[in-house]
């Protein structure tokens, strides 16, 4: 009886590991997708989620293609610590070469980051205006609500799960 239970547990464990490896393979495969495949995947996801028809799907793919380069990343090359602790790329010397971290990688200035954020916001608003022309009012309302909720989740994540306090 014990052997049967042990073999059952082992079989379940092996199948769980195999499923986890398949998920990793799919994620790795997606990360190797080229730009057009990623755009198609993103478009398909929106089409499915909001119930767009074929004509809307074609228009959305064109819109995503047009805005792909404009909205991909910040392009500033910051290390991600710039505002939380004010120590972005602080000077640390490498013992062997004597080079500093700033010489290896320059962080953007606060003005550059603010300008880039402003530009990205304008691009996002332009994208949403074009998307509003493609979607029905109900579809766009659902999309806008989902985007708002996603921003709130990201903000809570940055503050360790604390809700935003109003003054």
């Amino acid at each position: 009886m014990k052997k049967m239970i042990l073999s059952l547990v082992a079989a379940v464990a092996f199948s769980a590991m195999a499923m986890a490896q398949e998920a990793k393979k799919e994620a790795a495969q997606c990360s190797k997708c080229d730009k057009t495949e990623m755009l198609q995947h993103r478009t398909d996801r929106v089409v499915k989620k909001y119930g767009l028809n074929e004509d809307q799907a074609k228009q959305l793919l064109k819109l995503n293609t047009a805005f792909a380069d404009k909205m991909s990343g910040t392009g500033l090359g910051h290390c991600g610590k710039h505002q939380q602790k004010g120590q972005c790329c602080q000077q640390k010397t490498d013992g062997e070469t004597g080079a500093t971290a700033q010489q290896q990688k320059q962080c953007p200035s606060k003005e550059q980051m603010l300008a880039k954020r402003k530009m990205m916001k304008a691009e996002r608003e332009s994208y949403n205006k074009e998307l509003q022309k493609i979607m029905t009012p109900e579809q766009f309302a659902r999309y806008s609500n989902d985007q708002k909720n996603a921003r709130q989740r990201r903000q809570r994540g940055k503050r360790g799960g604390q809700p935003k306090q109003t003054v």
Side-chain angles (χ1 to χ4, degrees), residues 72-104:
S72 63
T74 60
L76 289 175
H78 61 79
C79 64
K81 300 179 184 175
H82 54 275
Q83 289 187 347
Q84 286 137 358
K85 298 183 181 180
Q87 300 174 347
C88 180
C89 301
Q90 61 178 226
Q91 300 252 347
K92 292 182 184 177
T93 57
D94 183 6
E96 294 176 15
T97 62
T100 63
Q102 280 188 334
Q103 291 170 338
Q104 295 170 0

Side-chain angles (χ1 to χ4, degrees), residues 28-154:
Q29 204 174 24
C30 189
S31 66
K32 294 178 183 177
C33 296
D34 69 340
K35 185 177 171 180
T36 56
E37 289 174 354
M38 288 174 54
L39 286 170
Q40 185 65 49
H41 177 70
R42 185 178 299 152
T43 302
D44 291 343
R45 194 174 62 224
V46 172
V47 167
K48 183 178 177 183
K49 186 171 185 175
Y50 301 107
L52 276 62
N53 61 34
E54 284 186 40
D55 188 44
Q56 288 174 316
K58 290 176 185 176
Q59 291 175 353
L60 179 62
L61 182 59
K62 286 180 185 177
L63 179 67
N64 285 342
T65 304
F67 277 84
D69 292 331
K70 296 177 184 179
M71 297 180 73
S72 63
T74 60
L76 289 175
H78 61 79
C79 64
K81 300 179 184 175
H82 54 275
Q83 289 187 347
Q84 286 137 358
K85 298 183 181 180
Q87 300 174 347
C88 180
C89 301
Q90 61 178 226
Q91 300 252 347
K92 292 182 184 177
T93 57
D94 183 6
E96 294 176 15
T97 62
T100 63
Q102 280 188 334
Q103 291 170 338
Q104 295 170 0
K105 182 178 180 180
Q106 289 291 326
C107 286
S109 69
K110 192 170 189 173
E111 294 80 22
Q112 287 174 319
M113 288 172 34
L114 290 173
K116 186 68 173 179
R117 183 178 295 154
K118 190 176 183 179
M119 185 181 78
M120 291 296 289
K121 184 177 180 180
E123 291 295 335
R124 191 171 44 251
E125 289 172 356
S126 176
Y127 177 84
N128 285 338
K129 285 180 183 176
E130 292 297 319
L131 187 61
Q132 193 170 12
K133 293 175 184 175
I134 295 171
M135 292 181 160
T136 66
E138 295 83 18
Q139 290 169 334
F140 189 75
R142 282 183 46 216
Y143 171 82
S144 296
N145 190 39
D146 289 347
Q147 294 299 308
K148 180 182 173 186
N149 291 338
R151 279 192 300 275
Q152 288 174 347
R153 281 192 305 272
R154 283 191 300 267

